[in-house]
């Protein structure tokens, strides 16, 4: 089990913005804060997050940024409803992670199995079909879910949620432990499926690794 200490030099958070054109100011602020880091692994991790802020459009329609395992507060429902991306990692801690997702009509999260990750999924808009089971061809749990419903996925369970409504399905997901690269943004499922550099941070606490399975 990895149990590296949490980073100690994440940048201080400013006040959450509401201006959708705020990205340049946030990036400049991050750059100023980044100058105070000390060349450790924490600096490299944050530099990667800064690159994602600058190069992947993060912040153009979002008013939060993944600041790592530091105290945070934001309007989760509002951010979930506003999120245009297939996946936006909103907050990453030592033991869990919050992501926002937007699933297009007739799209799905993707049939998969996280061997060592529990998952909580909550719908804030739309209508979906949640399927789970012990095998990818044995999805014995089948439930329609709508705004306000949650789907709880135990580790090692095959699962999928499909948008069966007539509008994008807006959800947030909590992973335990951390599952994606902090600050990661996938604009579409196709981008997510081909991303070979999407791993939890090395400072996160992880069990013995069991590879994800995808149908």
């Amino acid at each position: 089990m990895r149990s590296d200490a949490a980073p100690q030099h994440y940048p201080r958070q400013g006040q959450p913005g509401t201006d959708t054109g705020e990205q340049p100011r946030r990036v400049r602020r991050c750059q100023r804060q980044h100058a105070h880091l000390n060349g450790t692994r924490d600096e490299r991790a944050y530099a990667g997050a800064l690159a994602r802020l600058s190069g992947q459009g993060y912040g153009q329609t979002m008013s939060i940024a993944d600041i790592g395992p530091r105290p945070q507060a934001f309007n989760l429902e509002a951010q979930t409803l506003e999120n245009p991306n297939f996946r936006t990692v909103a907050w990453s801690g030592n033991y869990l992670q919050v992501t926002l997702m937007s699933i297009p009509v007739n799209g799905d999260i993707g049939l998969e199995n996280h061997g060592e990750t529990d998952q909580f999924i909550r719908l804030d808009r739309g209508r979906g079909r949640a399927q789970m089971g012990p095998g990818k061809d044995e999805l014995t749990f089948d439930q329609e879910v709508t705004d306000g419903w949650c789907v709880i996925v135990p580790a090692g369970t095959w699962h999928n949620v499909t948008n069966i409504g007539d509008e994008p399905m807006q959800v947030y997901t909590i992973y335990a432990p951390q599952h994606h690269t902090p600050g990661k943004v996938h604009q579409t499922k196709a981008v997510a499926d081909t991303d070979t550099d999407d791993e939890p941070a090395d400072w996160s606490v992880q069990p013995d690794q069991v590879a994800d399975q995808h149908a």
Side-chain angles (χ1 to χ4, degrees):
M1 175 181 295
R2 296 208 304 266
S3 57
D4 296 351
Q8 300 299 312
H9 301 288
Y10 268 81
R12 295 180 180 176
Q13 180 196 12
Q15 292 297 322
T18 57
D19 178 4
T20 58
E22 186 185 24
Q23 183 188 10
R25 291 195 298 275
R26 181 183 297 113
V27 170
R28 289 196 297 270
R29 183 170 64 247
C30 289
Q31 288 170 334
R32 289 195 300 270
Q33 292 163 336
H34 181 233
H36 295 290
L37 297 177
N38 60 6
T40 65
R41 180 183 59 202
D42 303 336
E43 180 183 19
R44 295 192 299 272
Y46 184 64
L50 178 62
R52 287 187 292 275
L53 275 167
S54 303
Q56 294 190 11
Y58 196 97
Q60 291 179 357
T61 56
M62 303 291 291
S63 58
I64 57 171
D66 187 347
I67 61 171
R70 297 288 300 274
Q72 172 67 293
F74 57 88
N75 188 326
L76 180 55
E77 181 179 8
Q79 295 296 332
T80 300
L81 293 175
E82 293 173 6
N83 171 52
N85 301 307
F86 176 75
R87 178 181 296 114
T88 299
V89 179
W91 186 86
S92 301
N94 292 316
Y95 301 96
L96 63 82
Q97 186 171 60
V98 179
T99 71
L100 316 178
M101 301 188 75
S102 179
I103 312 301
V105 175
N106 298 321
D108 64 356
I109 288 176
L111 182 59
E112 57 189 357
N113 177 350
H114 307 314
E116 297 293 336
T117 304
D118 291 324
Q119 193 171 357
F120 173 95
I121 304 170
R122 203 261 193 193
L123 277 73
D124 276 346
R125 177 185 292 150
R127 187 163 64 96
R129 178 187 183 188
Q131 297 172 281
M132 293 182 279
K136 62 182 179 181
D137 298 317
E138 192 179 356
L139 302 177
T140 53
F141 181 99
D142 197 323
Q143 174 68 52
E144 182 174 330
V145 291
T146 59
D147 180 8
W149 281 63
C150 71
V151 179
I152 300 173
V153 185
T157 302
W158 284 92
H159 61 281
N160 195 10
V161 182
T162 303
N163 185 346
I164 60 173
D166 57 3
E167 62 181 340
M169 187 173 67
Q170 303 295 117
V171 310
Y172 68 81
T173 297
I174 298 174
Y175 297 94
Q178 186 184 124
H179 195 73
H180 295 283
T181 301
K184 178 69 74 170
V185 175
H186 292 133
Q187 294 181 343
T188 66
K189 185 175 184 296
V191 171
D193 289 344
T194 57
D195 187 353
T196 59
D197 185 25
D198 184 21
E199 299 292 335
D202 59 2
W203 45 260
S204 65
V205 178
Q206 298 285 326
D208 294 334
Q209 293 298 300
V210 176
D212 285 353
Q213 296 176 292
H214 301 271

